[in-house]
């Protein structure tokens, strides 16, 4: 016991307890495994981006303010293509589907040609703010001509609700941001309503649902692959059925305890924490190698004790340093990284304890025979001799080679940049990728971005001619950029209503404050106004639909917007 004491009291006591009472040790670990599996049954998958955001950062507060003022930003786009342009039957189908989709729990609003208002003035001078379909779907050429004339002056519908050629009509389904958990239920309900139709459906909620499904599939694929590969290596290096049992038990306990703790604490699996099972399985197998190698041919408790005395300290130190490495990431204010760090550290800690207690307990009851394998002979013989000779004779070359390799890797690391584009996760030819490309090529992009222009001081009002002109100019500048498929601001309905009332399509923005207030009073009944104007008029929102999902391009666009406003914006307002 002298060496054990020198290696650390708690390690010594744990090993000694396992050697003296192997049955009790196995029962304790089996009970922990059962508890872990109960927790694992409660786990769920959530691959939303919110877990990857720094919720202590100012940008998070801006994002939350955006949601509270202008509604959620999760959008499903349903698109239907007709055999001919401006099809009455297709528009009727859009009208019927709009009603069906609006009734799905979790849907905040449905935008289509059947619901979005067309601002116009009738021949008798009546201002109309309905969809233009109050008298029914156009059926005659004259009715279609009138309807298309109304659409030609509209800023929202083109490329968002109808394609330029009139062959594709879209339905935009906005989800309620208050939905808890993932959106799988809503997405499946939307798909159910579309059954039997030839509709494309795409959007971030679709991607999330698909990623959730594929994430579970990947776990079911890669964990068995990890086990097979580890088992293959162990079978070549060491013989005996207990080798695989011990290695998999140690890694499996660590992985299941980490996942079980996530289930008990209500933390879902994310794109990062799905790596935990494979990582902890591999680490657990590595720790078990120390015990299994030392225990070969040891058939008595005393001989096992003597053989395992020198290895428990390396196992403990390996586990401790790995736990510290995981916990170092727990200080990152990003939930997905913090969860990986916390539950990864727990899994490694459990695997370490199992390596110095469960493995010895099993070996007391089921000793290993010492069998010399082909791999064992090769590693201990020719390979070891050749490697030592190379290092001794070519030591400078070895050092220089590794130095050059490190410098080359350092240069490569310097070229790394952060970027995500969720659509790139799906190969070309897959249904989800093809439907996305079909919608993007015929309409505008599907990635929503809010550009909020806000007053710097309380009491300021964005609904004044100078501020509106600045917002309108920024909106126009954004439309000129290739990555922006659609840009809408409060200036657009004001421009439309002013043109309709004045009878001049070129009337532009109203320049009189009193007139602006009158128009805004008329637009209060239109729900869509809330998407682009705050309730207190202290801020406005420019709704963007981007053709490019790459985060690098979105960040570049944000920098461009800030620079534009610094040069062309007005004092008293920030973007």
């Amino acid at each position: 016991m002298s060496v054990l004491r020198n290696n650390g009291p708690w390690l010594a006591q744990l090993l000694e307890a396992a050697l003296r009472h192997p049955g009790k040790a196995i029962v304790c670990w089996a009970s922990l495994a059962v508890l872990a599996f109960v927790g694992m049954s409660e786990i769920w998958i959530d691959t939303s981006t919110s877990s990857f955001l720094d919720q202590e950062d100012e940008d998070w507060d801006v994002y939350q303010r955006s949601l509270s003022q202008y509604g959620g930003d999760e959008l499903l786009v349903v698109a239907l293509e007709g055999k001919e342009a401006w099809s009455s039957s297709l528009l009727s189908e859009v009208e019927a589907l709009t009603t069906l989709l609006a009734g799905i729990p979790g849907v905040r609003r449905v935008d289509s040609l059947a619901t979005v208002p067309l601002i116009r003035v009738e021949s008798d001078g009546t201002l109309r703010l309905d969809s233009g379909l109050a008298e029914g779907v156009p059926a005659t050429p004259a009715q279609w001509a009138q309807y298309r004339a109304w659409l030609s002056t509209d800023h929202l519908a083109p490329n968002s609700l109808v394609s330029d050629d009139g062959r594709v009509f879209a339905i935009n389904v906005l989800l309620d941001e208050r939905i808890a958990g993932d959106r799988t239920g809503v997405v499946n309900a939307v798909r159910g309503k579309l059954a039997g139709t030839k509709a494309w459906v795409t959007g971030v909620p679709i991607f999330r649902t698909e990623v959730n499904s594929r994430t579970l599939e990947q776990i079911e694929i890669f964990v068995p692959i990890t086990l097979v590969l580890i088992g293959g290596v162990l079978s070549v290096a060491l013989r005996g059925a207990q080798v695989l049992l011990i290695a998999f038990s140690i890694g499996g306990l660590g992985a299941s305890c980490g996942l079980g703790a996530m289930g008990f604490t209500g933390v879902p699996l994310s794109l990062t924490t799905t790596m935990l099972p494979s990582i902890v399985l591999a680490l657990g197998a590595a720790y078990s190698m120390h015990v299994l190698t030392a225990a070969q041919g040891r058939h008595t408790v005393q001989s096992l004790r003597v053989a395992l005395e020198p290895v428990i300290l390396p196992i403990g130190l390996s586990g401790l340093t790995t736990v510290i490495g995981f916990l170092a990431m727990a200080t990152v204010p990003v939930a997905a990284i913090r969860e990986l760090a916390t539950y990864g550290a727990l899994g490694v800690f459990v695997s370490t304890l199992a390596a110095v207690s469960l493995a010895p307990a099993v070996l007391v009851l089921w000793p290993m025979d010492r069998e010399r394998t082909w791999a064992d002979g090769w590693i201990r013989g020719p390979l070891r001799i050749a490697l030592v000779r190379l290092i001794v004779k070519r030591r400078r070359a070895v050092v220089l080679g590794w130095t050059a390799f490190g410098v080359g890797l350092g240069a490569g690391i310097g070229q790394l940049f952060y970027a995500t584009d969720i659509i790139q996760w799906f190969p070309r030819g897959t249904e989800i990728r093809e439907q996305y490309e079909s919608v993007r090529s015929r309409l505008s992009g599907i990635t929503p971005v809010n550009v909020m222009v806000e007053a710097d001081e309380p009491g300021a009002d964005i609904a004044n001619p100078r501020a509106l002109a600045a917002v309108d100019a920024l909106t126009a500048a954004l439309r000129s950029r290739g990555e922006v498929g659609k840009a809408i601001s409060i200036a657009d309905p004001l421009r439309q209503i002013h043109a309709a009332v004045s009878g001049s399509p070129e009337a532009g923005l109203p320049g009189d404050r009193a007139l602006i207030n009158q128009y805004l009073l008329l637009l209060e009944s239109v729900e869509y106004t809330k998407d682009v104007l705050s309730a207190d008029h202290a801020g406005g929102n420019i709704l963007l639909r981007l053709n490019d999902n790459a985060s690098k391009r979105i960040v570049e666009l944000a920098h461009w917007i800030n620079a534009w406003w610094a040069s062309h914006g007005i004092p008293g307002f920030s973007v």
Side-chain angles (χ1 to χ4, degrees), residues 166-246:
R167 294 192 58 180
V168 177
F169 295 154
I171 304 171
N172 296 334
V173 182
L174 285 73
L175 304 192
D176 192 334
E177 64 274 14
R178 294 169 296 181
I179 302 174
D182 65 25
R183 271 61 171 167
T184 303
V186 180
V187 170
N188 289 340
V190 169
R191 284 173 163 166
K193 299 293 184 183
L194 298 175
T197 67
K198 295 181 179 179
W200 303 304
V201 58
T202 187
V204 173
I206 291 285
F207 302 151
R208 279 182 53 184
T209 300
E210 193 68 22
V211 169
N212 286 1
S213 174
R214 294 193 179 199
T215 298
L216 182 59
E217 291 175 2
Q218 296 307 312
I219 293 175
E220 294 173 347
I221 292 172
F222 285 114
V223 169
I225 288 177
T226 301
L227 294 174
V228 169
L229 293 176
I230 291 174
V233 171
L234 295 180
S235 298
V236 171
L238 299 169
R239 289 180 181 172
Q242 62 270 67
V243 170
L244 298 181
L245 172 65
I246 291 173

Side-chain angles (χ1 to χ4, degrees), residues 102-114:
I104 296 175
V107 170
R108 176 167 65 92
R109 196 179 74 207
V110 178
D111 296 348
S112 73
L113 292 177

Side-chain angles (χ1 to χ4, degrees), residues 554-567:
I554 296 174
V555 171
E556 290 172 353
L557 178 63
H559 291 160
W560 181 88
I561 292 171
N562 285 324
W564 189 98
W565 191 262
S567 299

Side-chain angles (χ1 to χ4, degrees), residues 116-179:
V116 173
L118 290 177
I119 300 173
R120 63 200 186 278
V121 174
E122 299 283 12
S123 57
D124 61 358
T126 304
L127 178 68
R128 297 288 297 271
L129 298 176
D130 56 58
S131 68
L133 301 180
E135 285 76 37
V137 173
T140 67
Q143 290 173 337
W144 270 116
Q146 178 64 75
Y147 184 69
R148 291 176 63 182
W150 293 336
L151 284 175
S152 67
T153 63
D154 186 68
H155 288 254
L156 179 60
N159 287 325
S160 175
L161 303 178
V162 59
S163 62
D164 286 335
D165 60 7
R167 294 192 58 180
V168 177
F169 295 154
I171 304 171
N172 296 334
V173 182
L174 285 73
L175 304 192
D176 192 334
E177 64 274 14
R178 294 169 296 181
I179 302 174

Side-chain angles (χ1 to χ4, degrees), residues 45-52 74 181 183 208 212 270-271:
I45 298 175
D46 181 17
T47 55
S48 63
T49 55
S50 60
S51 63
F52 293 92
E74 292 204 55
R183 271 61 171 167
R208 279 182 53 184
N212 286 1
S270 66
L271 289 176

